[in-house]
């Protein structure tokens, strides 16, 4: 053993002092520093002058901290006290700093169990501690951020939901808008269809320029070219002279704010090329600016020529009807006055003549009233047919007894005398009587009147033939119109111009045809057919 060189105590301590672990040895309960290696001195922030001093004297900043007491207990009770992550406030380079340690104070005992020193080891874990602390804070921050993120996420999700609802609403509104748009386009199309169907002209005037736009119908009526804009002056040139000034004044009036901007007039247009005349009704309205200036004047024009003609016919008809009714009533009145004078002479032979004269007047009045009633029935669509099966020749034989009785005219019946039809006998009788009456009225010198029955295909054709003056071919088409009477008829013959119109309606209702073949100077054949 002698050959092995042993280190002295001092050497041993010097070697020990080289360890990286901070190490110190304390003695007594005041923890007097026996030795402290460099690592421990670094921890403490002191130099070797602390060696030999009590802990309290060496590190006065430890006063009030638990360590000095711990050393006391370790010394007195022979304990080991250790701690981890324990903070200690130490004065380092003149500055009080909190350092974190893992430490151990270990009582070192002799063989008898008596404490001889305290082995003090310490590791500065401030780095680790703060690292962990930072980690912790970071974790906490992360957790908070995470929480915030989750909240944000939730908000986003609900926003997303709202957005998708809004999106749905938007797409619904869009669809509705599209539908509205389609409807609008459609109604515009309808509208223009309606304008076309109603045969309306339209105009839209710019008061500033005096130019206006019109549809094709309007241009056609005014004989204007197809180019879009029309000059107001050009257009009004085609208004009939007698109406022109009145219409220009009405347009001016419609464009003045105080008039309220309405326009409703009737006037005649004379086509510049073919000179055709039409009567129109124009209605319009002006739109004014805030300062009461006319911005646009637009409206529609309607051809009312037929309507005007019908109104004229009606007016004429009423005067004819009154006149026609007045004639037999006047003669009836005269006859009755004469009868009155003969009241005291009951045996006077004139009385019988006067009575039959009064009857004739009464019959005329009754016939006129019947015509009026029948015409109004036809007009209101109340002409009902009561059909039966009958022999046409039989009907012709029995009709017109008033004419036969008079004996002036001879009624010939010829043709297919066995032909039967399924029709309204009373109404067909009315048609035949009207034709025979007309023959007597308008061909008074043709004493032979022929009633003819023919079978043609699936129709029975019945004709009333006279040898009178005949009818002007120009007028043939109009005879069956309501209220038509040829000009001479008004003066010479009584009648309302309704007989042939009513007849035509009766035949139409049976599914047959009605017409006339006539030659001026030779006579007329009025005919009608009935389906078999
Ligand atoms: P009304 O006899 O009341 O005038 P109608 O409708 O029966 O009405 O006849 C229409 C017109 O047809 C008559 O006004 C007459 O001018 C013409 N007319 C009818 N029958 C004859 C006839 N047989 N010959 C010539 N003209 C006729």
């Amino acid at each position: 053993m002698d050959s092995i060189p042993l280190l002295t105590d001092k050497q041993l301590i010097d070697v020990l002092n080289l360890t990286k672990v901070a190490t110190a040895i304390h003695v007594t309960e005041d923890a007097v520093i026996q030795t402290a290696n460099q690592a421990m001195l670094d921890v403490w922030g002191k130099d070797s002058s602390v060696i030999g001093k009590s802990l309290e004297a060496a590190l006065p900043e430890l006063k009030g901290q638990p360590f000095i007491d711990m050393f006391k207990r370790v010394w007195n009770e022979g304990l080991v006290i250790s701690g981890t992550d324990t903070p200690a406030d130490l004065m380092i380079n003149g500055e009080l700093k909190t350092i974190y340690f893992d430490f151990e104070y270990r009582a070192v005992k002799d063989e008898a169990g008596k404490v001889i020193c305290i082995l003090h080891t310490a590791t500065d874990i401030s780095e680790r501690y703060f690292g962990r602390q930072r980690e912790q804070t970071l974790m906490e921050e992360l957790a908070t951020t995470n929480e915030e993120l989750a909240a944000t996420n939730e908000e986003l999700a609900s926003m997303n939901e709202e957005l998708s609802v809004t999106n749905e609403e938007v797409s619904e509104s869009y669809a509705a808008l599209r539908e509205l748009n389609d409807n609008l386009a459609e109604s515009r199309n309808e509208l223009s269809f309606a304008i076309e169907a109603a045969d309306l002209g339209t105009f839209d005037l710019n008061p500033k320029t005096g130019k206006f736009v019109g549809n094709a119908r309007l241009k056609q009526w005014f004989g204007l070219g197809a180019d879009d804009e029309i000059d107001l002056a050009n257009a009004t040139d085609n208004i009939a002279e007698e109406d022109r000034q009145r219409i220009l004044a009405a347009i001016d009036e419609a464009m003045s704010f105080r008039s309220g901007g309405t326009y409703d007039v009737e006037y005649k247009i004379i086509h510049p090329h073919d000179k055709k005349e039409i009567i129109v009704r124009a209605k319009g309205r002006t739109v004014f600016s805030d300062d009461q200036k006319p911005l646009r004047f637009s409206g529609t024009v309607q051809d009312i020529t037929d309507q005007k003609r019908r109104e004229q016919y009606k007016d004429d008809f009423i005067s004819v009807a009154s006149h026609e009714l007045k004639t037999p009533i006047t003669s009836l009145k005269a006859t009755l006055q004469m009868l009155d004078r003969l009241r005291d002479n009951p045996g006077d032979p004139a009385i019988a003549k006067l009575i039959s004269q009064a009857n004739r007047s009464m019959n005329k009045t009754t016939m006129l009233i019947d015509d009026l009633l029948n015409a109004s029935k036809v007009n209101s669509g109340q002409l009902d047919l009561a059909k039966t099966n009958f022999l046409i020749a039989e009907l012709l034989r029995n009709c017109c007894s008033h004419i036969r009785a008079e004996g002036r005219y001879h009624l010939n019946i010829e043709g297919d005398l066995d032909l039967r039809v399924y029709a309204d006998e009373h109404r067909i009788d009315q048609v035949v009587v009207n034709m025979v009456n007309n023959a007597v009225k308008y061909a008074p010198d043709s004493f032979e009147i022929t009633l003819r029955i023919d079978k043609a295909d699936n129709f029975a054709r019945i004709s009333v033939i006279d040898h009178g003056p005949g009818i002007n071919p120009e007028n043939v088409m109009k005879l069956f119109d309501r209220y038509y009477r040829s000009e001479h008829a008004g003066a010479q013959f009584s009648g309302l111009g309704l007989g042939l119109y009513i007849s035509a309606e009766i035949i139409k209702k049976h599914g047959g045809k009605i017409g006339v073949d006539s030659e001026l100077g030779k006579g007329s054949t009025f005919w009608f057919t009935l389906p078999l």
Side-chain angles (χ1 to χ4, degrees):
M1 283 295 274
D2 289 341
S3 59
I4 300 167
L6 289 174
L7 298 180
T8 64
D9 288 351
K10 167 87 170 67
Q11 281 175 321
L12 266 176
I13 286 174
D14 286 346
V15 170
L16 200 70
N17 279 346
L18 293 175
T19 60
K20 294 278 182 228
V21 181
T23 310
I25 295 169
H26 304 262
V27 290
T28 80
E29 66 166 13
D30 292 328
V32 172
I33 302 160
Q34 178 82 32
T35 179
N37 69 356
Q38 191 54 47
M40 185 59 90
L41 293 175
D42 289 345
V43 167
W44 286 338
K46 307 285 184 304
D47 58 26
S48 56
S49 64
V50 297
I51 295 180
K53 291 185 181 169
S54 70
L55 194 60
E56 198 179 319
L59 295 99
E61 62 268 30
L62 288 184
K63 230 181 171 177
Q65 300 189 46
F67 310 108
I68 292 169
D69 279 351
M70 282 184 195
F71 273 101
K72 239 175 218 151
R73 283 187 62 208
V74 171
W75 181 265
N76 292 331
E77 296 170 38
L79 302 173
V80 176
I81 293 182
S82 62
T84 51
D85 297 347
T86 309
D89 295 330
L90 295 171
M91 189 66 76
I92 293 163
N93 298 330
E95 215 182 303
L96 196 64
K97 279 188 181 166
T98 304
I99 312 277
Y100 289 82
F101 295 101
D102 287 350
F103 71 91
E104 189 180 85
Y105 305 158
R106 175 180 289 275
V108 181
K109 298 171 186 171
D110 63 10
E111 280 157 8
K114 188 179 175 262
V115 176
I116 53 164
C117 69
I118 298 169
L119 179 63
H120 172 192
T121 51
T123 316
D124 179 351
I125 51 96
S126 294
E127 243 350 70
R128 192 181 80 195
Y129 178 83
F130 287 118
R132 262 219 312 273
Q133 204 68 10
R134 274 201 300 279
E135 212 170 274
Q136 179 89 12
T137 318
L138 211 66
M139 291 298 284
E140 265 166 34
E141 272 173 23
L142 265 177
T144 315
T145 315
N146 213 22
E147 245 167 59
E148 282 173 4
L149 261 176
T152 313
N153 224 15
E154 233 167 72
E155 262 171 47
L156 270 175
S158 82
M159 265 169 78
N160 205 23
E161 225 167 79
E162 273 171 35
L163 261 177
S164 80
V165 172
T166 313
N167 210 20
E168 239 168 64
E169 284 171 359
V170 166
S171 70
E172 260 170 42
S173 324
Y174 181 72
L177 199 68
R178 272 189 68 139
E179 199 182 316
L180 273 175
N181 216 18
D182 284 354
N183 285 350
L184 194 68
E186 207 172 277
S187 50
R188 206 176 282 148
N189 269 355
E190 271 165 9
L191 185 62
S192 63
F193 182 75
I195 285 174
E196 245 169 66
D199 215 5
L200 287 175
T202 59
F203 63 87
D204 185 15
L205 174 78
N206 181 342
K208 266 193 206 146
T209 60
K211 306 257 184 205
F212 72 95
V213 181
N215 69 351
R217 170 66 72 238
L218 187 95
K219 286 179 189 164
Q220 182 201 333
W221 285 337
F222 279 87
L224 297 164
D227 37 326
D228 270 343
E229 281 202 329
I230 314 160
D231 221 301
L232 181 64
N234 276 354
T236 48
D237 274 354
N238 299 320
I239 294 176
E241 178 114 40
E242 67 266 28
D243 291 333
R244 198 177 303 137
Q245 286 316 313
R246 178 174 57 88
I247 299 309
L248 285 171
I251 294 172
D252 267 357
E253 177 77 1
M255 287 197 287
S256 79
F257 186 75
R258 81 192 134 70
S259 73
T262 52
Y263 174 69
D264 188 350
V265 290
E266 286 180 14
Y267 57 89
K268 195 194 281 173
I269 304 172
I270 302 172
H271 197 280
H273 311 311
D274 61 18
K275 303 293 168 204
K276 197 181 150 201
E277 295 181 2
I278 62 165
I279 298 168
V280 295
R281 177 173 185 184
K283 290 181 90 170
R285 188 163 267 289
T286 307
V287 176
F288 294 95
S289 64
D290 288 345
D291 58 350
Q292 310 187 347
K293 296 265 171 351
L295 287 177
R296 284 175 78 163
F297 170 52
S298 40
T300 56
V301 180
Q302 187 186 5
D303 181 350
I304 56 163
T305 314
D306 281 348
Q307 185 189 323
K308 280 276 150 187
R309 194 173 290 144
R310 277 197 298 273
E311 276 170 23
Q312 187 61 47
Y313 273 149
K314 240 182 201 167
D315 288 350
D316 291 353
F317 172 73
I318 288 168
S319 75
V320 168
S322 324
H323 180 78
E324 291 299 322
L325 280 167
K326 208 176 163 193
T327 311
I329 287 169
T330 310
S331 89
L332 183 63
K333 200 174 163 191
T335 313
L336 288 174
Q337 273 170 0
M338 282 155 87
L339 273 172
D340 196 41
R341 268 186 236 136
L342 294 175
R343 194 203 293 259
D344 301 329
N345 282 333
D348 196 313
I351 290 178
K353 228 177 136 196
L354 286 171
I355 288 175
S356 73
Q357 206 172 300
N359 267 328
R360 272 205 302 278
S361 298
M362 264 315 292
N363 282 342
K364 266 190 185 169
T365 313
T366 310
M367 267 162 61
L368 288 169
I369 290 170
D370 276 351
D371 268 3
L372 283 172
L373 290 176
N374 280 323
S376 92
K377 255 192 196 161
V378 166
N379 286 343
S380 58
Q382 284 173 353
L383 189 82
D384 294 323
L385 300 182
K387 289 186 183 177
T388 54
N389 198 305
F390 61 89
L391 196 64
I392 302 170
E394 188 74 18
L395 178 143
L396 298 184
R397 268 195 289 272
N398 294 333
C399 88
C400 310
S401 50
H402 59 295
I403 287 166
R404 279 180 238 265
E406 227 178 295
R408 232 170 106 82
Y409 296 90
H410 183 246
L411 302 183
N412 263 336
I413 300 172
E414 57 176 53
D416 193 339
L417 301 184
D418 297 323
L419 201 59
R420 303 181 73 89
V421 284
Y422 181 67
D424 185 325
E425 194 172 358
H426 173 68
R427 295 285 179 199
I428 298 303
D429 181 69
Q430 226 177 305
V431 174
V432 176
V433 169
N434 186 59
M435 287 180 172
V436 173
N437 278 347
N438 279 350
V440 170
K441 235 191 322 184
Y442 302 110
D445 302 328
S446 162
F447 300 109
E448 284 283 319
I449 298 168
T450 303
L451 309 179
R452 220 194 127 71
I453 308 163
D454 291 294
K455 185 172 182 263
D457 299 327
N458 271 331
F459 286 88
R461 179 182 158 117
I462 296 127
S463 313
V464 177
I465 306 159
D466 69 59
H467 303 284
I471 298 158
N472 190 333
E474 260 178 33
N475 298 330
V476 164
M477 295 302 289
K478 301 181 204 159
L479 297 186
F480 301 91
D481 285 351
R482 193 161 28 151
Y483 312 140
Y484 177 77
R485 312 193 70 223
S486 76
E487 270 131 47
H488 75 270
Q492 276 173 277
F493 310 95
S494 69
L496 295 172
L498 286 172
L500 286 176
Y501 163 70
I502 295 166
S503 300
E505 292 301 313
I506 291 170
I507 298 305
K508 255 192 255 164
K509 193 119 201 211
H510 276 88
K513 287 200 167 104
I514 192 165
V516 59
D517 304 323
S518 183
E519 210 180 311
L520 273 178
K522 291 217 167 142
S524 313
T525 299
F526 279 84
W527 55 265
F528 63 89
T529 63
L530 292 170
L532 289 170

